[in-house]
Amino acid sequence: MNRKSRFGRIGTFARKVLVFLVVSAPVAFAQTPPGVPPDDQAVRQRVDALLKEMSLDEKIGQLSQLFAFGPAQPLEDAVAKGQLGSLLFVTDPAVINRYQHLAVEKTRLHIPLIFGFDVIHGFRTIFPVPIAMAASWDPAVATKAQSVAAREARSVGIDWAFAPMLDIARDPRWGRIVEGAGEDPYLGSAMAAAQVRGFQGDYIGSLDHVLACMKHFAGYGAAEGGRDYDASYISDSQLYNVYLPPFHAAVKAGVGSAMSAYMDLNDMPATGNTWLLQDVLRQDWKFSGLVVSDADAVKSLEKHGYAKDLSEAALDAFKAGVNMEMALDFTAYSKGLPAAVQNGQITVEQIEAADRPILEMKVRLGLFENPYVDEARSQQVLATPEHRTAARLAAERSAVLLRDQGKLLPLRKNAYTSVAVVGPLADSQVDTLGSWAFQEDLVETVTVLSGLRDKFGAGARVSYAQGVQLRREFPSFFDEIFHLKPEPVWTPEQARNEMSRAVNLAKSSDLTILVLGEAQNMSGEAASRESFGLPGEQEQLLEAVSATGKPVVLVLLNGRPLDIKWAAQHVPAILEAWYPGTQGGNAVANLLLGDAVPGGKLPVTWPRDVGQVPIYYAHNTTQSAENQGKRYWDEESTPLFPFGYGLSYSSFIFSDVKLSRTQIKPGETIEVRFDVENTGAVAADEVAQLYIHQRSGSVSRPVRELKGFERVTLPAHGKKTVHMSLGKQELSYWSSAKKGWVEEPAAFDVWIGGDSEASLHTGFEIAQ
Ligand code: NOJ
């Protein structure tokens, strides 16, 4: 029944009263005190009551989300007509309030908008990029970071973060490896759940939190050749055992929304993929949240050669289970769905089913009661000093010490009177933050140069030379969208002069700290590469500075492993700082000078060369296993640094591994216990890692799989007993022979240690 026929016989006043009653009647339920989640049934009832009053147009309107780019007028008109359920990329609280006012005051049923944004690793306070947070091997770091991000975003009126990105990536050519937790499903799952907790708090609608959105469902990280947006071909075994687990972990952690991916998965576009969005997500995993498409991904179904036109694209995505379409200027849903209902291709009930989770989230987030934000408060929240402290600590915990020959690090503060800080990233605020940092206050971003200047204080003269310029071969469309103007390209003569100035500075200084890597736009979306060399002339700069014979420390800012073979042999100290965020410079200075001790570990296998890709530790082994490291005749087939690797200023010993039992039945659990001891004279962290190998089964199993980890802080010479357990969850896998999950009778190896090459060994058996 449409709106006209329903209300046709009653007067305007009576209609207004009715609408008021419908919208305000269930208010009581949502007024739960802070800390108390709303009652599920009350939420559903309220949504049902709303749906009863909504016209078909209003129902379809809720399913569209647009970017707030371009002129405001058309968007304002659409909001006022109830043609949109959501906007993204509005970050000014005053503008958010303005749009919200239109939604709440001008539309018949006063349904608020939900505002989304890419809050990936911070909003105003930028935290280390996600791959860095994974390198902390400390889920608490990720939870804290995303709760700060949520608090800041929510304070300006953003209700929905398009994060965490849970795509496993085993090909670092893919630029978006920086946005995820790396190559491993176990670490990825822990980081997934941790981030969901950070964004959403204890429940959806927790004070100062936002709705999280796991993305990109699913398989985007396996884009062929690492080429962003290209198709993925993933076997069922890899899907279930590697690519899907982080998403499942997020669902178990209560994530309220999911974003469908751009690419074809085994020829079927993820955004039209009923198997992914219905069978796996909703049926197997019981996900009851909302699915939003990636930007313009619904319309792209036509470009994929899948849908014959836009109307079919809308229908395909809708039927597959995409509740809301995200689009740049118009949605296929708004064009295609009204006709599809009219001609009977879909029913009004199906539209309502798609609306339900969207409206539910709006109710849960309290948007009906509190649609507006307090602009003055947002300024206070964004200025919170504790947020910056949390960002510094996160950056300190995320850094990975790759090399420290001759114990050059930590630097002794009074040992140097002149320090050269050299490199194109050393004093670049944008490049200290990494991609997906839009709302950052650049003025307060601490570069490595300024962090070091501050740290050395009057004790040393800290001088700077850029040395080389960085530039993408093909420009990034993000630079165009956000109007980032690259600095004018140097003439060959300017380039030569600057290079010699940098080398001379190194010559005349007691110590050089080189800050090299990738500029912010070289890593992230649409930032894939076919090589891993240090971009531009950085390798030449590195080698020339090293040739001065003065001590050199290399600090890397980047989002993927790079080809640093030469540095790994010739540069005594290398610190992987990733893109460390707002407080990055202070964190790096603390780490280099020993006020913080590196304890991060690699969440990815670090290849020697791009030709080894894909390379990951949890590979299977087949013929000639003893020659695993000699698969190529022109280069070792081992990594430069293994997964889980990272040094410290201290050293550790693992010992005394004990199992509660050496034989169990399927479904039973084994407790694992071992000691880790700090054998050095400084307090430091070690990440205890547990790997298993199933020796036989219905299919071949990886040589090693991470199944437990804990970042342990130990005082100098301190020792701790660590407990982990291995149960059904850790010992089951999806077997392509059985086409299902199995836990099989077999012998298992267990290794304990500080990286994926851990050597402390024991074993057990699962018996029938
Ligand atoms: C495209 C990206 O793939 C996705 O991750 C992001 O959330 C949306 N654009 C919105 O910006």
Side-chain angles (χ1 to χ4, degrees):
M1 187 182 285
N2 67 29
R3 185 183 143 194
K4 193 145 190 269
S5 59
R6 190 174 183 95
F7 291 126
R9 274 172 281 120
I10 55 175
T12 318
F13 175 73
R15 193 182 314 158
K16 277 189 176 158
V17 170
L18 196 77
V19 165
F20 175 79
L21 288 176
V22 165
V23 175
S24 56
V27 154
F29 88 95
Q31 302 292 354
T32 50
V36 180
D39 175 64
D40 287 347
Q41 209 191 336
V43 173
R44 279 194 291 272
Q45 279 170 356
R46 180 168 198 178
V47 167
D48 285 343
L50 260 177
L51 282 168
K52 278 209 185 88
E53 298 309 320
M54 289 167 77
S55 67
L56 179 61
D57 286 349
E58 286 165 340
K59 288 173 190 164
I60 292 178
Q62 286 299 310
L63 310 181
S64 285
Q65 178 189 55
L66 290 185
F67 280 79
F69 291 160
Q73 194 59 52
L75 279 180
E76 289 178 358
D77 291 348
V79 171
K81 287 185 195 147
Q83 293 170 344
L84 291 175
S86 175
L87 286 174
L88 77 155
F89 267 86
V90 208
T91 53
D92 178 339
V95 180
I96 287 184
N97 279 339
R98 201 177 71 225
Y99 280 118
Q100 194 65 297
H101 176 80
L102 293 171
V104 172
E105 302 302 331
K106 301 283 178 208
T107 65
R108 199 173 60 92
L109 294 174
H110 315 289
I111 302 176
L113 292 165
I114 177 170
F115 291 88
F117 190 61
D118 287 295
V119 185
I120 308 298
H121 54 116
F123 181 70
R124 168 66 63 77
T125 309
I126 302 298
F127 283 76
V129 286
I131 197 169
M133 289 199 256
S136 74
W137 288 62
D138 183 357
V141 162
T143 300
K144 177 71 189 174
Q146 302 304 26
S147 72
V148 168
R151 182 164 189 263
E152 292 187 352
R154 194 72 202 259
S155 80
V156 304
I158 290 163
D159 320 294
W160 188 10
F162 299 124
M165 189 196 91
L166 305 181
D167 297 303
I168 293 293
R170 294 182 160 185
D171 184 340
R173 290 174 297 183
W174 189 53
R176 303 195 78 171
I177 190 172
V178 65
E179 292 176 52
E183 76 182 44
D184 186 69
Y186 188 89
L187 179 62
S189 298
M191 289 295 160
Q195 292 187 77
V196 171
R197 279 196 297 277
F199 281 123
Q200 294 189 168
D202 293 337
Y203 56 90
I204 295 166
S206 301
L207 189 68
D208 284 343
H209 286 81
V210 296
L211 178 65
C213 181
M214 61 176 192
K215 69 184 189 185
H216 306 83
F217 199 63
Y220 187 20
E224 273 193 316
R227 293 179 295 272
D228 207 1
Y229 315 125
D230 275 1
S232 297
Y233 290 91
I234 311 179
S235 68
D236 281 355
S237 164
Q238 284 184 320
L239 262 175
Y240 283 114
N241 293 315
V242 179
Y243 289 91
L244 292 180
F247 291 98
H248 196 187
V251 171
K252 287 186 199 156
V255 72
S257 73
M259 185 184 290
S260 67
Y262 272 135
M263 60 337 116
D264 285 347
L265 171 64
N266 301 330
D267 293 337
M268 169 64 93
T271 294
N273 198 317
T274 308
W275 175 76
L276 273 177
L277 299 177
Q278 300 290 352
D279 300 4
V280 175
L281 187 60
R282 296 209 185 266
Q283 274 151 45
D284 293 355
W285 298 353
K286 312 280 176 257
F287 172 77
S288 60
L290 85 98
V291 174
V292 64
S293 73
D294 202 338
D296 274 350
V298 175
K299 287 186 262 175
S300 293
L301 294 181
E302 193 187 349
K303 294 191 193 139
H304 286 234
Y306 177 70
K308 73 169 187 291
D309 53 27
L310 269 194
S311 306
E312 193 173 284
L315 206 57
D316 287 343
F318 180 84
K319 283 188 170 165
V322 174
N323 302 77
M324 183 181 271
E325 178 185 354
M326 179 194 289
L328 280 166
D329 42 11
F330 74 92
T331 61
Y333 275 14
S334 62
K335 308 273 176 220
L337 294 186
V341 176
Q342 239 117 62
N343 61 30
Q345 286 168 297
I346 46 174
T347 62
V348 177
E349 287 70 34
Q350 283 174 292
I351 298 278
E352 289 177 354
D355 274 320
R356 262 193 194 90
I358 298 171
L359 295 171
E360 262 200 25
M361 292 309 158
K362 292 184 177 184
V363 172
R364 289 183 186 280
L365 288 161
L367 295 176
F368 285 88
E369 284 67 39
N370 299 302
Y372 302 113
V373 279
D374 179 340
E375 295 168 36
R377 178 179 176 261
S378 79
Q379 293 313 313
Q380 286 164 14
V381 170
L382 298 182
T384 309
E386 291 78 44
H387 294 184
R388 314 300 189 265
T389 309
R392 178 178 54 74
L393 291 173
E396 288 170 6
R397 288 177 84 74
S398 300
V400 182
L401 183 62
L402 296 177
R403 187 170 150 92
D404 191 14
Q405 207 62 17
K407 295 258 171 239
L408 177 58
L409 296 181
L411 301 169
R412 279 168 298 119
K413 197 169 172 185
N414 301 322
Y416 310 96
T417 53
S418 54
V419 176
V421 178
V422 172
L425 306 176
D427 197 29
S428 164
Q429 288 172 315
V430 165
D431 299 317
T432 306
L433 299 173
S435 68
W436 295 117
F438 305 108
Q439 293 310 307
E440 78 284 6
D441 192 338
L442 277 181
V443 180
E444 71 178 47
T445 298
V446 183
T447 64
V448 175
L449 175 66
S450 55
L452 284 168
R453 280 206 164 123
D454 206 36
K455 189 102 227 164
F456 277 106
R461 185 172 46 82
V462 178
S463 316
Y464 165 65
Q466 181 176 335
V468 299
Q469 234 183 355
L470 290 185
R471 196 164 51 93
R472 273 177 62 135
E473 209 56 49
F474 306 115
S476 160
F477 67 74
F478 280 101
D479 293 354
E480 283 160 28
I481 295 175
F482 298 106
H483 313 294
L484 294 179
K485 289 206 181 64
E487 55 172 358
V489 180
W490 293 343
T491 63
E493 194 192 349
Q494 279 174 314
R496 268 194 310 275
N497 289 346
E498 178 57 19
M499 175 76 88
S500 6
R501 193 172 78 80
V503 177
N504 288 336
L505 184 65
K507 260 187 213 147
S508 61
S509 305
D510 300 337
L511 165 79
T512 299
I513 297 170
L514 274 165
V515 187
L516 307 179
E518 296 177 310
Q520 161 270 349
N521 64 0
M522 294 176 168
S523 174
E525 186 177 347
S528 293
R529 300 184 62 186
E530 59 84 41
S531 61
F532 292 157
L534 289 164
E537 312 279 292
Q538 292 183 99
E539 184 74 30
Q540 288 89 317
L541 177 67
L542 168 77
E543 296 186 17
V545 166
S546 300
T548 61
K550 294 292 181 67
V552 174
V553 175
L554 171 59
V555 175
L556 291 171
L557 303 192
N558 54 318
R560 56 158 70 80
L562 296 172
D563 181 346
I564 53 162
K565 280 199 301 287
W566 189 90
Q569 277 181 0
H570 299 95
V571 178
I574 307 177
L575 182 73
E576 171 56 86
W578 313 100
Y579 297 106
T582 307
Q583 280 286 310
N586 287 336
V588 168
N590 281 347
L591 288 158
L592 294 185
L593 282 107
D595 287 337
V597 179
K601 301 277 184 167
L602 292 177
V604 281
T605 299
W606 193 295
R608 295 169 189 277
D609 213 316
V610 73
Q612 292 181 314
V613 166
I615 180 169
Y616 48 91
Y617 81 94
H619 59 83
N620 287 9
T621 194
T622 52
Q623 185 62 20
S624 190
E626 57 291 359
N627 287 323
Q628 190 65 50
K630 300 258 180 304
R631 295 303 203 214
Y632 305 116
W633 61 256
D634 55 348
E635 177 58 282
E636 312 256 347
S637 46
T638 54
L640 188 62
F641 302 111
F643 175 82
Y645 169 88
L647 302 172
S648 166
Y649 297 151
S650 195
S651 48
F652 303 90
I653 290 181
F654 289 87
S655 63
D656 251 347
V657 55
K658 298 220 168 56
L659 304 180
S660 58
R661 301 158 68 181
T662 52
Q663 200 184 71
I664 54 168
K665 295 220 166 61
E668 294 179 343
T669 298
I670 289 189
E671 303 303 330
V672 186
R673 201 182 73 192
F674 55 89
D675 290 343
V676 51
E677 183 179 353
N678 179 353
T679 51
V682 282
D685 287 8
E686 173 62 308
V687 179
Q689 301 167 40
L690 181 156
Y691 294 86
I692 65 164
H693 169 59
Q694 180 175 332
R695 288 192 177 183
S696 62
S698 56
V699 296
S700 310
R701 298 300 298 141
V703 288
R704 285 190 181 200
E705 291 177 281
L706 180 73
K707 292 294 176 183
F709 68 88
E710 186 180 326
R711 183 162 173 157
V712 183
T713 301
L714 292 168
H717 305 292
K719 189 170 176 172
K720 185 180 170 187
T721 303
V722 178
H723 299 262
M724 293 181 183
S725 48
L726 293 170
K728 191 176 178 59
Q729 170 86 7
E730 290 74 26
L731 301 172
S732 311
Y733 71 96
W734 196 92
S735 160
S736 54
K738 305 280 182 195
K739 300 269 177 274
W741 290 93
V742 294
E743 188 184 357
E744 297 174 327
F748 285 78
D749 294 293
V750 176
W751 292 272
I752 305 291
D755 62 40
S756 57
E757 292 180 355
S759 56
L760 182 63
H761 179 263
T762 183
F764 67 92
E765 199 188 333
I766 299 184
Q768 265 308 5

